[in-house]
Amino acid sequence: MAPGLPDKKKAEDEQSSKKNLIHLCNPHLEQMKEDVLYHFALGTGTQDFPTLFGEVKHGMGIPSIAIMLHELIKLLHHAKCSSVTVIRIGTSGGIGLDPGSVVITRQAVDATFKPQFEQLILGKNVIRSTDLDEQLANELMQCSNEIAQFNTVIGNTMCTLDFYEGQARLDGAICSYTEGEKLQYLKEAYDAGVRNIEMESSVFAAMCKLSGIKAAVVCVTLLNRLEGDQINTPHDVLVEYQQRPQKLVGHFIKKYLGKV
Amino acid sequence: MAPGLPDKKKAEDEQSSKKNLIHLCNPHLEQMKEDVLYHFALGTGTQDFPTLFGEVKHGMGIPSIAIMLHELIKLLHHAKCSSVTVIRIGTSGGIGLDPGSVVITRQAVDATFKPQFEQLILGKNVIRSTDLDEQLANELMQCSNEIAQFNTVIGNTMCTLDFYEGQARLDGAICSYTEGEKLQYLKEAYDAGVRNIEMESSVFAAMCKLSGIKAAVVCVTLLNRLEGDQINTPHDVLVEYQQRPQKLVGHFIKKYLGKV
């Protein structure tokens, strides 16, 4: 994640900064005396942020990242950060790519390959767009070309609620479909432009878009799901794969700061 | 969680044990040479389970607990455990209860108060029952009466995908409803028998039911959501609250083992 840098020339930049401030789509927050970011163990009345940050741990999947984003977005807002870019990096299962390939997400799609995220609010389904920043994706692709160390593609990313049945794996405790049906589904995903599958991108894209945050998703693929479900690659190779999104985004941050 | 004890008198109990073995609803597993429980970092070909277990961490919400359960159920199956009871303990938001009350779940319901869990498989919605074991819930209620240290009720538990908008909170980074609409929704939930809200019970109930595991959910309520969204209770009081489900289930396990 790369929050925007504090502006050096505060006075002259204040005007342009203001319009780039994090926008909280919630009118209730302004009326609260103190705002407690429960899962970050932070309150706006609390001073000792660094000590408290030591306790933070988060999990996997849409609920975990949604909780983190609600509180991160409020944190950025309370801190008056502006022009913020947030990049999710992580691992994923690939479709039709050599393991170790990196996917920069064009669109985060659901299990029916639609670029949307369904959010249940007061018991009703609300559909949100999962559009990501096209220019940012292209800039990240350019960074990968510059470091030229691994294969990188721009493609759609399917976001699921479940690692096993939700991703058509055959190796869960419960499985009601055949290998043929699994492969047909994954090929349909490929034909819809899906190049990898993970469990956070759709709510990440939707919440960043609503809050006016420029966002990208960069995930390495640990296996080619057309060839299997389990990860048998040696540990040291997986560790190197997992560093690839960090290398790519690290290069992007250094370039943005004028260090390369 | 309380896995069933290994039978002492193996020979005579073998017959009755077999029919209580964990049932894996997946015909593909039998054909695999080795089964890797990826998120537990375990393989059936691996010997040194205790050392490897040290690395396990899990997150929050349906995807995290689903991953854990797929791999736990397979683990119990590979270990030939029988007559297994699994009890989820945790924290929740209460509806119409004093904070610190414990809820033993009658039914895990979704955001529309239906006792079901929707699982997306190959892009299609599959509806699964979230019935829990009624006798086990009553036995746990009896345990709470015996220790008589805190208020305990049997009630429905609403399971959501999101902590903020999904639970009608007013303090998320995004909120599109009024306080009146929030309270109306929570009161509708109360009228439908819902006494607390958390983020894991529905998939937990559904997967245990499918796999033939006796299951219960015991969660303490940290606040009364009809009175607010943020948790302002002192840390030491919260710590004591969080120990209540452990105390209750601890008493149940000791009673089951004949130690009380």
Side-chain angles (χ1 to χ4, degrees):
Chain A
M1 285 175 284
L5 294 175
D7 294 314
K8 279 178 191 161
K9 296 176 248 158
K10 288 229 167 161
E12 68 185 66
D13 287 345
E14 200 164 358
Q15 195 65 28
S16 69
S17 280
K18 262 189 186 157
K19 63 183 175 193
N20 292 322
L21 283 179
I22 297 289
H23 177 57
L24 293 185
C25 309
N26 182 357
H28 305 283
L29 287 178
E30 288 193 16
Q31 291 154 36
M32 290 166 58
K33 229 186 220 175
E34 185 185 356
D35 182 23
V36 180
L37 312 185
Y38 180 67
H39 299 86
F40 279 158
L42 287 176
T44 49
T46 312
Q47 297 302 314
D48 195 4
F49 278 27
T51 305
L52 288 168
F53 261 124
E55 293 299 309
V56 177
K57 285 192 192 77
H58 283 297
M60 209 181 292
I62 286 172
S64 290
I65 198 171
I67 287 173
M68 190 277 282
L69 284 172
H70 270 287
E71 301 185 8
L72 177 69
I73 291 166
K74 292 205 294 176
L75 182 71
L76 293 167
H77 172 81
H78 292 314
K80 301 194 194 303
C81 293
S82 66
S83 307
V84 173
T85 296
V86 181
I87 303 174
R88 149 158 166 71
I89 57 173
T91 60
S92 63
I95 305 183
L97 296 175
D98 285 336
S101 297
V102 171
V103 179
I104 299 166
T105 303
R106 176 179 287 120
Q107 287 187 306
V109 301
D110 66 13
T112 62
F113 321 134
K114 291 197 195 85
Q116 62 184 38
F117 174 65
E118 292 187 15
Q119 171 79 51
L120 274 163
I121 302 175
L122 307 186
K124 290 181 185 63
N125 232 336
V126 175
I127 306 282
R128 288 176 173 164
S129 159
T130 54
D131 281 348
L132 291 160
D133 193 282
E134 196 181 332
Q135 193 197 330
L136 178 60
N138 290 334
E139 282 170 22
L140 288 162
M141 189 66 205
Q142 178 58 30
C143 287
S144 181
N145 293 338
E146 284 164 17
I147 53 179
Q149 288 178 23
F150 40 78
N151 179 41
T152 302
V153 300
I154 293 184
N156 291 346
T157 296
M158 182 160 77
C159 181
T160 70
L161 271 167
D162 177 57
F163 183 80
Y164 289 97
E165 293 174 281
Q167 298 189 10
R169 276 188 159 78
L170 298 175
D171 62 338
I174 302 165
C175 181
S176 53
Y177 41 86
T178 65
E179 185 166 11
E181 289 167 333
K182 164 202 155 172
L183 286 173
Q184 194 192 329
Y185 178 64
L186 293 181
K187 280 174 187 159
E188 283 168 14
Y190 187 89
D191 291 342
V194 174
R195 292 296 174 271
N196 65 337
I197 313 175
E198 48 78 89
M199 300 176 70
E200 290 86 8
S201 59
S202 63
V203 73
F204 170 81
M207 289 182 67
C208 288
K209 189 177 164 70
L210 272 175
S211 306
I213 293 171
K214 209 188 269 193
V217 178
V218 179
C219 289
V220 70
T221 60
L222 298 183
L223 75 170
N224 179 359
R225 287 296 315 291
L226 297 179
E227 287 173 7
D229 294 334
Q230 299 214 338
I231 298 164
N232 304 310
T233 310
H235 183 70
D236 56 334
V237 177
L238 285 180
V239 168
E240 195 278 316
Y241 285 173
Q242 289 174 28
Q243 290 168 347
R244 293 179 176 187
Q246 298 171 41
K247 277 185 197 164
L248 201 167
V249 175
H251 182 85
F252 170 80
I253 293 171
K254 281 193 274 185
K255 194 173 164 183
Y256 180 82
L257 297 176
K259 297 277 172 66
V260 287
Chain B
M1 285 175 283
L5 297 175
D7 294 315
K8 279 178 190 161
K9 298 175 250 161
K10 288 229 165 160
E12 68 185 66
D13 288 345
E14 200 165 355
Q15 195 65 28
S16 69
S17 280
K18 263 189 184 157
K19 62 182 175 195
N20 293 321
L21 283 179
I22 297 289
H23 177 56
L24 294 184
C25 309
N26 182 356
H28 305 282
L29 286 179
E30 290 195 17
Q31 291 154 36
M32 290 165 59
K33 231 189 221 171
E34 186 184 354
D35 183 22
V36 180
L37 312 184
Y38 179 66
H39 300 85
F40 280 159
L42 287 176
T44 49
T46 312
Q47 297 302 314
D48 195 5
F49 278 28
T51 305
L52 287 167
F53 261 124
E55 293 299 310
V56 176
K57 286 194 191 75
H58 283 295
M60 208 180 293
I62 286 173
S64 289
I65 198 171
I67 286 172
M68 190 277 282
L69 284 171
H70 270 286
E71 301 185 8
L72 177 69
I73 291 166
K74 292 204 294 175
L75 182 70
L76 293 166
H77 172 82
H78 291 315
K80 301 195 194 305
C81 293
S82 65
S83 306
V84 173
T85 296
V86 181
I87 302 175
R88 149 158 166 70
I89 57 173
T91 60
S92 62
I95 305 183
L97 296 175
D98 285 336
S101 298
V102 171
V103 179
I104 299 166
T105 304
R106 177 178 285 119
Q107 287 186 307
V109 301
D110 65 14
T112 61
F113 321 134
K114 291 197 196 86
Q116 62 182 38
F117 173 65
E118 292 187 16
Q119 171 79 53
L120 274 164
I121 301 175
L122 306 186
K124 289 178 185 64
N125 232 336
V126 175
I127 307 283
R128 286 176 174 165
S129 159
T130 54
D131 282 347
L132 290 159
D133 192 282
E134 196 181 332
Q135 194 197 329
L136 178 60
N138 291 332
E139 283 170 23
L140 287 162
M141 189 66 204
Q142 178 57 31
C143 287
S144 182
N145 293 337
E146 284 163 17
I147 53 178
Q149 289 179 21
F150 39 79
N151 180 41
T152 302
V153 300
I154 293 184
N156 290 345
T157 297
M158 182 160 77
C159 181
T160 69
L161 271 167
D162 177 58
F163 183 81
Y164 289 97
E165 294 175 279
Q167 298 189 9
R169 275 186 159 79
L170 298 175
D171 62 339
I174 302 164
C175 181
S176 52
Y177 40 87
T178 66
E179 186 166 10
E181 289 167 331
K182 165 202 154 170
L183 286 173
Q184 193 191 329
Y185 178 65
L186 292 181
K187 281 174 186 158
E188 283 168 15
Y190 187 88
D191 292 342
V194 174
R195 292 296 175 271
N196 65 338
I197 314 174
E198 48 78 89
M199 300 175 71
E200 289 86 9
S201 59
S202 63
V203 74
F204 170 81
M207 288 182 69
C208 287
K209 189 178 163 68
L210 271 176
S211 306
I213 293 170
K214 209 188 271 192
V217 177
V218 180
C219 288
V220 70
T221 60
L222 298 184
L223 75 169
N224 179 0
R225 288 294 317 290
L226 296 179
E227 288 173 6
D229 293 336
Q230 298 215 337
I231 297 164
N232 303 312
T233 309
H235 183 70
D236 56 335
V237 178
L238 286 179
V239 168
E240 196 279 317
Y241 285 174
Q242 287 174 30
Q243 289 167 348
R244 293 180 175 187
Q246 297 170 42
K247 278 187 197 163
L248 201 167
V249 175
H251 182 84
F252 170 81
I253 293 171
K254 281 193 275 184
K255 193 174 166 184
Y256 180 82
L257 297 177
K259 297 275 173 69
V260 286

